[in-house]
Amino acid sequence: MIGRLHHRGPDGHGFYNQGPIGLAHARLRIIDLSSGDQPMCNEDGTVWVVFNGEIFNYLELRADLLRRGHRLSTQSDTEVLVHLYEDYGDALVDHLNGQFAFALWDTARQRLLLARDRTGIRPLFHTRVPGGLAFASEVKALFTLPEVPRRLDARALGEVFTYWAPLPPHAVFEGIESLPPGHVMTVDAQGTHLHRYWDWSFPPAPIEADRSADAYAEELRDLLIDAVRLQLRADVPVAAYLSGGLDSSIVTTLIRHYTDTPLRTFSLTFDDAEFDESVWQQQLVNHLGTDHTTVHCTRADIAAAFPRAIAHTETPIVRTAPAPMMLLAAGVRAAGYKVALTGEGADEVFGGYDIFKEARVRRFMARQPNSRWRPRLLERLYPYLKHSPAAGRAMTERFFREGEAQFREPGFAHLPRWTTTRRIASFLSPEFHAAATAFNPLDAVTPQLPADFSRWEPLCQDQYIEAHTLMSGYLLCSQGDRMAMAQSIETRFPFLDHRLIAFASRLPPRYKLMGLVEKYLLKHSMDGLLPDALRHRTKQPYRAPDSQSFFHNGVPVDYVAELFSAARLQEAGYFDQHAAIRLFDKARAGKVIGFGDNMAFVGILSTLLLHDQFIRR
């Protein structure tokens, strides 16, 4: 099992096998390089732990433990876990500022504790096997056990083709579950118990300001500085991703101005002007004087990397964007780094996505159906797209009136995206289509919402659902942890410090989305630190070429042609082979230009690759 996770920890491995428990660990040495090997135990060997991730406030926790009489034998962040458990039991997670998945075994109570960080940065999967439970950071480790079946779950596949990722606790394989973010699970003779210890929370509407924007901005800046300082803790050099957008620019700027860490940055560039942000990246590089490396990614590079990317996502995806992130991580590793800070999470925390602006305008349209001038505001949302949903008045009306009658429903903001993505299901074979579409997207999300959800401001509701679907399931997993760890790189996310989330959740919505200006307060907090051109730049989400990456002058890449052949489509059985081949022919002719067809092509291809790598072989 641990051999299959060598990429997550190539610097060493260790085992603990005693009685009913077996623990193994693959180590990526970042903190306490000489004495931090795992599994690790307390002084008398009664509590054991294996742990993936980082506890950023471990120095403060360690000092407090020593004051209370604990004896620690290492300088590792791992060791604080077993001693915190001695004092606080399962509530140890409440004291952690970090990103983690860990398994803790209490020998005296014969009890297992599994825990995952608040926002789901680090993965943790588990499955029932005859006589017990198996768990691991990735599914491929579970598949070393012959008793674990290898079948795709049709319902979870339908969720990927709706929300871009399975809804927790689902994984895309039958019988395997993901421990949801912010949860602990205990297993002992009394059975299995799942407990949520943390969740995003917002005050009831209306949220009134109790301070000026300047005062809020000052507090935010102080929190950001502290989050960045904490996440720079390492006994190896730390780098930063620099996309050219606001969020990564803030992280790198704070490193430069408020720490003594040498600023080493890495960026992705593309041939296609629609996706390339090198001009903005270079502006910040020049402004900060960073030691900078660009990783150039061509369409051919994406096609070549895509099968390996799917081997690491362990789930179908509907965009190629993870593959270039894996190549970026390879560039970081080649330069001798193991850790990189990123700007991920700021859009969810501070209201940065176009989906939040869309929802604001769509709610107005639903309340004022006779207004004909408001749709023109949507044309301002997508200046970076060649094929914008707001490219024409008829398309604008059709796309943004999706689900209009449901504008008071929890998932109203997300309905256009879910509906567009769910069209992929039309390519499924009859056997899979019924099970994959047997749920209503709104109804499936509703049971997971907090009891007081209906009392929140609409923007807060939108943020909550975004954080619990796209962010945790796709951005932090398929595009985040999996692509970085494929190259033995640990990425860190200062914007997902739980203190920042709590601060932002208490803000009046206008300080996050001011009219149609996203992340208003975040931009304000960087006044005088970031160049105005970068600070006020319109949000451009990270994207990469999709279906066009797999064809050169109409000639498909070999493995793509093979997977889309009638024989292989029929053998896999997931898709209507005639519909899939028609889409393949359309892509080969260069006629796949819209979101829907591109997502369908990538979704079909990634599913077939997943089947080929995990089931067929």
Side-chain angles (χ1 to χ4, degrees):
M1 288 176 73
I2 205 62
R4 293 303 307 275
L5 301 183
H6 179 75
H7 54 282
R8 298 189 73 90
D11 298 334
H13 61 268
F15 304 92
Y16 172 77
N17 192 359
Q18 189 73 33
I21 189 73
L23 302 175
H25 183 257
R27 188 176 183 202
L28 185 63
R29 289 192 176 98
I30 292 173
I31 291 177
D32 190 4
L33 307 186
S34 61
S35 62
D37 291 342
Q38 301 179 42
M40 191 173 287
C41 64
N42 59 350
E43 302 99 319
D44 59 6
T46 57
V47 181
W48 288 83
V49 72
V50 284
F51 159 55
N52 172 223
E54 303 293 341
I55 307 302
F56 299 123
N57 64 332
Y58 79 101
L59 291 177
E60 292 78 7
L61 293 172
R62 190 176 188 279
D64 186 55
L65 288 166
L66 290 171
R67 280 194 299 270
R68 295 206 307 273
H70 289 267
R71 289 178 293 132
L72 284 78
S73 59
T74 76
Q75 299 296 317
S76 168
D77 60 333
T78 304
E79 193 174 10
V80 303
L81 296 175
V82 293
H83 293 280
L84 286 172
Y85 179 75
E86 290 178 314
D87 284 0
Y88 301 110
D90 296 357
L92 87 159
V93 289
D94 297 330
H95 300 265
L96 305 179
N97 183 329
Q99 49 191 52
F100 53 83
F102 66 80
L104 186 146
W105 176 248
D106 184 331
T107 63
R109 300 171 66 187
Q110 296 285 281
R111 182 175 184 268
L112 175 70
L113 172 70
L114 299 178
R116 192 170 176 210
D117 63 65
R118 294 172 175 85
T119 56
I121 295 170
R122 298 293 166 229
L124 182 52
F125 295 91
H126 58 90
T127 186
R128 287 285 173 182
V129 293
L133 180 83
F135 52 91
S137 290
E138 296 185 13
V139 173
K140 55 178 62 69
L142 300 177
F143 279 158
T144 65
L145 305 173
E147 59 268 38
V148 176
R150 298 186 179 214
R151 291 186 298 271
L152 289 187
D153 185 289
R155 164 65 182 252
L157 191 63
E159 290 174 352
V160 173
F161 292 161
T162 303
Y163 312 107
W164 293 31
L167 294 178
H170 299 159
V172 80
F173 293 100
E174 283 186 12
I176 295 175
E177 292 190 351
S178 170
L179 184 66
H183 281 69
V184 296
M185 187 172 86
T186 57
V187 186
D188 57 19
Q190 282 68 52
T192 299
H193 177 69
L194 186 67
H195 168 67
R196 183 194 291 274
Y197 68 89
W198 185 89
D199 198 9
W200 298 59
S201 181
F202 299 87
I207 304 174
E208 302 293 346
D210 58 4
R211 282 171 288 165
S212 67
D214 289 343
Y216 278 122
E218 183 178 355
E219 182 180 356
L220 172 54
R221 187 165 52 250
D222 290 342
L223 278 170
L224 280 168
I225 292 168
D226 193 55
V228 168
R229 282 175 173 163
L230 280 180
Q231 297 202 16
L232 286 171
R233 286 179 171 174
D235 294 330
V236 296
V238 179
Y241 286 171
L242 183 58
S243 69
L246 176 70
D247 311 328
S248 64
S249 297
I250 288 175
V251 171
T252 51
T253 297
L254 295 179
I255 294 173
R256 166 63 81 209
H257 287 287
Y258 294 99
T259 78
D260 57 4
T261 299
L263 191 49
R264 186 76 163 88
T265 54
F266 294 82
S267 293
L268 271 174
T269 60
F270 297 95
D271 291 328
D272 305 70
E274 183 178 356
F275 310 108
D276 185 65
E277 299 183 71
S278 57
V279 171
W280 297 99
Q281 294 163 4
Q282 195 58 48
Q283 280 192 31
L284 193 64
V285 167
N286 294 340
H287 176 71
L288 295 177
T290 77
D291 180 6
H292 187 67
T293 297
T294 60
V295 176
H296 187 68
C297 184
T298 67
R299 295 181 181 185
D301 292 332
I302 293 174
F306 198 67
R308 184 166 180 240
I310 298 305
H312 285 283
T313 64
E314 299 182 332
T315 183
I317 55 177
V318 298
R319 288 285 175 83
T320 62
M325 294 303 296
M326 185 176 70
L327 299 176
L328 176 62
V332 174
R333 185 72 186 189
Y337 286 79
K338 296 180 180 181
V339 182
L341 270 61
T342 89
E344 201 71 71
D347 291 306
E348 291 81 4
V349 175
F350 292 100
Y353 283 131
D354 288 331
I355 195 171
F356 303 136
K357 292 186 279 188
E358 286 174 14
R360 175 160 290 181
V361 177
R362 289 174 57 234
R363 286 188 175 102
F364 175 87
M365 293 167 65
R367 290 192 302 268
Q368 306 287 340
N370 296 323
S371 173
R372 292 299 176 190
W373 63 271
R374 265 300 169 92
R376 294 192 62 83
L377 291 173
L378 298 167
E379 297 168 14
R380 296 168 47 195
L381 296 179
Y382 304 105
Y384 52 86
L385 290 183
K386 287 183 180 178
H387 307 287
S388 165
R393 177 57 61 85
M395 185 180 294
T396 298
E397 291 285 340
R398 184 170 63 253
F399 182 82
F400 291 103
R401 289 195 181 278
E402 181 70 49
E404 185 176 73
Q406 298 163 296
F407 78 95
R408 289 188 175 88
E409 294 294 325
F412 172 75
H414 303 77
L415 276 175
R417 183 171 68 205
W418 293 346
T419 302
T420 300
T421 308
R422 210 174 199 209
R423 291 177 187 138
I424 303 172
S426 66
F427 291 90
L428 290 169
S429 63
E431 295 82 356
F432 269 79
H433 184 272
T437 59
F439 64 95
N440 177 285
L442 283 177
D443 293 343
V445 168
T446 301
Q448 301 189 19
L449 303 178
D452 58 345
F453 183 89
S454 63
R455 300 172 59 199
W456 297 348
E457 298 273 9
L459 176 61
C460 301
Q461 295 180 357
D462 299 343
Q463 288 179 266
Y464 184 92
I465 291 177
E466 186 75 359
H468 288 72
T469 53
L470 190 78
M471 187 190 80
S472 62
Y474 172 76
L475 291 175
L476 296 180
C477 184
S478 295
Q479 192 168 293
D481 170 89
R482 298 311 190 83
M483 295 301 97
M485 279 295 179
Q487 306 292 354
S488 306
I489 293 292
E490 178 182 275
T491 44
R492 298 178 175 182
F493 307 85
F495 284 107
L496 293 178
D497 185 305
H498 67 279
R499 300 169 302 163
L500 269 170
I501 296 174
F503 167 83
S505 297
R506 296 191 299 268
L507 288 174
R510 70 178 181 276
Y511 284 149
K512 289 179 277 191
L513 185 58
M514 181 77 75
L516 292 183
V517 176
E518 74 278 3
K519 293 185 286 198
Y520 168 79
L521 190 73
L522 185 59
K523 293 176 179 178
H524 184 37
S525 72
M526 297 302 291
D527 188 12
L529 292 173
L530 265 181
D532 285 347
L534 280 166
R535 195 160 59 93
H536 296 297
R537 183 191 170 200
T538 301
K539 167 71 180 175
Q540 177 174 335
Y542 161 67
R543 298 165 54 247
D546 286 319
S547 61
Q548 62 267 41
S549 300
F550 302 97
F551 300 88
H552 180 67
N553 294 329
V555 178
V557 175
D558 287 347
Y559 74 83
V560 178
E562 180 182 353
L563 290 172
F564 273 89
S565 68
R568 292 295 292 274
L569 285 163
Q570 183 176 10
E571 176 194 326
Y574 307 114
F575 300 101
D576 180 309
Q577 59 180 292
H578 301 295
I581 291 172
R582 282 196 300 271
L583 180 63
F584 173 82
D585 291 338
K586 188 176 180 181
R588 179 167 53 184
K591 295 180 179 178
V592 169
I593 59 173
F595 284 163
D597 279 354
N598 263 304
M599 287 193 294
F601 183 89
V602 176
I604 293 170
L605 176 61
S606 59
T607 305
L608 295 172
L609 281 167
L610 195 72
H611 173 84
D612 188 60
Q613 294 169 342
F614 287 91
I615 298 174
R616 183 173 182 264
R617 297 182 188 179

